[in-house]
Amino acid sequence: MIKLIHVVGARPNFMKAAPVWNAINKMTDFNQVLIHTGQHYDKLMSGIFFKELQMPAPDYNLNIGSDTHARQTAAIMIKFEELVNELKPDLVLVYGDVNSTVATAMVCSKLSIPIAHVEAGLRSFDRRMPEEINRLITDQLADLLFTPSKDGDANLIKEGIPESKIHFVGNVMIDTLVRLLPKADIPNKFQNLNQYVLVTLHRPSNVDDARSLRSILHNLEMISKSIPVVFPVHPRTKKMITENDLNILNNINFHLIEPLGYLDFLGLMKRAVTVITDSGGIQEETTYLGVPCITVRENTERPITVSIGTNQLIGQDIDRIPDLVSHAVNRKKRSNVIPSLWDGKTSERIVETLIGYCKNIS
Ligand code: UD1
């Protein structure tokens, strides 16, 4: 019996781990353990996803919570080291680029436990982003690197990772999207909206500075005078809005709401005129759905969403948003170009590779 540990910690991990967990669950020769670091802990940032994505409740929760980067990363390492020494896994799977990913990869590496990194090789080449640091370190330490697109392979090779460790398997998050798309619908509260713009913003570069957040909110409020805007607000953003008294309540077309679960958000995304975001995953999901995406960032670690998908980077050029929105309103048809291997079968390819790898190490 091969013992695998999956580590999840923050919201974008859950939709990546779920399909891999479910694919491995069909195999008889694996025993899997799910560890949640507790980096995200609110029901709406964490709990709701396990039910919707049909994942079991975590076997262990490290209950780390929020803190500075160093303190959060260190706390995860200390607790995870104890647990992993007790569980003695044959391999640990880590996902994406959050602090939980790098913290647990560092622990495994020093204990000589093989690491598989799902969503390897993505690079924004912007080291001001904490996620870029997490990606660089995790990829250096991983033994198996599963990439979502070929640019990932090229980045890893340039960084000296041996080709034998790199496996281009496609985008695992799209497995979840493909499976749940038929079940996803617009939440009742918004069923009467014919057209709307969907917004998510949580990057420190956009929301931690009150002036920048105020300017974004001002633009969104202007847009909402001609088309409704639905904005599920991330806790980090909510905190800034409250602390700086930025709440905009004078326009009934501007819907600032609590974070949504996976199905409600996907339901809103698939029918949106356009999505305005600074998330990584949403750039990919909109590419798959053919929904125009306006990304409020200078760069992206997912360039394929710009080169063949529907994504447009606007940096800090917030004033461009109204024009781009009206362009999206007037567009005649959806794009239907989907990157290679974003086909809903990535988790199967991951499992095949894991089986081969584990045979060699056992
Ligand atoms: C983290 C990830 C980011 C990912 C994002 C998705 C890192 C470095 N960042 O950023 O890559 O895109 O998750 O959401 O790992 N908070 C709550 N409840 C929660 C979680 C957070 O209220 O359940 C609040 C806390 O005030 C906390 C703040 O949100 O301080 C930020 O949370 P944190 O996990 O530090 O980073 P995110 O901004 O969520």
Side-chain angles (χ1 to χ4, degrees):
M1 205 65 154
I2 292 158
K3 190 184 232 178
L4 299 181
I5 287 181
H6 301 250
V7 176
V8 292
R11 186 169 63 177
N13 290 154
F14 308 136
M15 43 297 254
K16 295 166 195 165
V20 183
W21 170 277
N22 285 315
I24 295 175
N25 209 28
K26 294 183 192 140
M27 307 283 153
T28 48
D29 34 6
F30 286 100
N31 166 13
Q32 25 180 12
V33 179
L34 185 58
I35 300 182
H36 192 326
T37 64
Q39 179 175 343
H40 283 176
Y41 43 90
D42 284 354
K43 181 164 174 276
L44 295 179
M45 294 298 288
S46 174
I48 185 170
F49 291 91
F50 285 81
K51 207 167 134 218
E52 289 192 344
L53 302 173
Q54 290 145 0
M55 276 224 286
D59 298 292
Y60 300 89
N61 194 322
L62 307 182
N63 291 314
I64 293 304
S66 307
D67 216 324
T68 65
H69 282 267
R71 293 175 64 93
Q72 187 179 58
T73 307
I76 296 170
M77 289 180 74
I78 293 166
K79 285 206 177 172
F80 184 73
E81 185 186 51
E82 261 174 43
L83 187 56
V84 95
N85 272 330
E86 197 185 299
L87 295 173
K88 302 196 188 326
D90 297 297
L91 182 130
V92 172
L93 285 132
V94 298
Y95 296 86
D97 56 14
V98 301
N99 287 345
S100 303
T101 313
V102 72
T104 51
M106 285 196 284
V107 170
C108 293
S109 171
K110 298 217 172 167
L111 294 173
S112 301
I113 299 167
I115 304 158
H117 184 204
V118 178
E119 199 188 80
L122 299 184
R123 296 290 180 270
S124 65
F125 303 102
D126 179 356
R127 292 196 183 184
R128 290 169 304 176
M129 279 183 86
E131 293 81 1
E132 183 73 354
I133 310 297
N134 296 345
R135 291 188 279 260
L136 280 161
I137 298 174
T138 306
D139 284 341
Q140 280 298 323
L141 303 179
D143 300 277
L144 278 173
L145 296 102
F146 293 116
T147 60
S149 46
K150 278 284 182 187
D151 53 284
D153 296 41
N155 293 335
L156 293 171
I157 288 164
K158 269 191 222 139
E159 287 168 17
I161 308 285
E163 258 180 85
S164 57
K165 289 186 177 181
I166 305 170
H167 301 270
F168 169 48
V169 288
N171 192 329
V172 77
M173 216 178 49
I174 301 300
D175 287 20
T176 298
L177 190 153
V178 168
R179 182 166 65 97
L180 294 179
L181 196 55
K183 284 197 194 166
D185 201 0
I186 299 183
N188 285 339
K189 188 175 167 200
F190 300 115
Q191 286 280 353
N192 59 344
L193 300 183
N194 281 330
Q195 286 195 313
Y196 56 88
V197 171
L198 181 62
V199 179
T200 78
L201 294 166
H202 72 279
R203 294 267 158 228
S205 56
N206 285 322
V207 307
D208 282 5
D209 173 51
R211 259 205 334 214
S212 138
L213 183 58
R214 182 177 291 115
S215 145
I216 297 174
L217 289 171
H218 173 70
N219 265 278
L220 295 175
E221 209 254 334
M222 298 252 291
I223 292 162
S224 72
K225 290 182 179 144
S226 50
I227 181 166
V229 171
V230 180
F231 184 178
V233 184
H234 184 282
R236 174 190 280 280
T237 314
K238 185 177 178 187
K239 201 164 140 211
M240 281 302 290
I241 291 179
T242 314
E243 280 174 7
N244 294 283
D245 213 9
L246 299 174
N247 231 328
I248 295 170
L249 299 165
N250 57 349
N251 182 344
I252 53 157
N253 266 341
F254 194 30
H255 305 272
L256 287 173
I257 57 171
E258 293 284 301
L260 293 171
Y262 186 81
L263 293 172
D264 281 349
F265 190 78
L266 180 56
L268 276 165
M269 191 161 44
K270 73 178 176 187
R271 299 258 165 75
V273 162
T274 182
V275 179
I276 301 171
T277 191
D278 55 12
S279 146
I282 292 168
Q283 297 170 50
E284 300 180 327
E285 289 166 338
T286 47
T287 284
Y288 184 87
L289 296 168
V291 173
C293 181
I294 303 167
T295 299
V296 191
R297 282 178 48 188
E298 305 286 346
N299 47 50
T300 179
E301 61 289 342
R302 288 145 162 109
I304 201 165
T305 61
V306 176
S307 58
I308 77 159
T310 55
N311 189 20
Q312 201 163 347
L313 299 178
I314 63 160
Q316 292 303 310
D317 221 349
I318 306 299
D319 298 343
R320 286 181 61 200
I321 293 180
D323 266 0
L324 290 170
V325 170
S326 53
H327 196 259
V329 171
N330 295 321
R331 112 200 121 112
K332 297 280 178 292
K333 71 178 187 46
R334 289 200 161 191
S335 149
N336 58 3
V337 192
I338 294 171
S340 174
L341 301 190
W342 292 24
D343 58 358
K345 296 190 172 131
T346 293
S347 49
E348 290 170 26
R349 289 185 281 271
I350 290 177
V351 174
E352 258 172 51
T353 312
L354 284 176
I355 291 172
Y357 181 82
C358 290
K359 264 189 201 143
N360 284 338
I361 56 169
S362 61

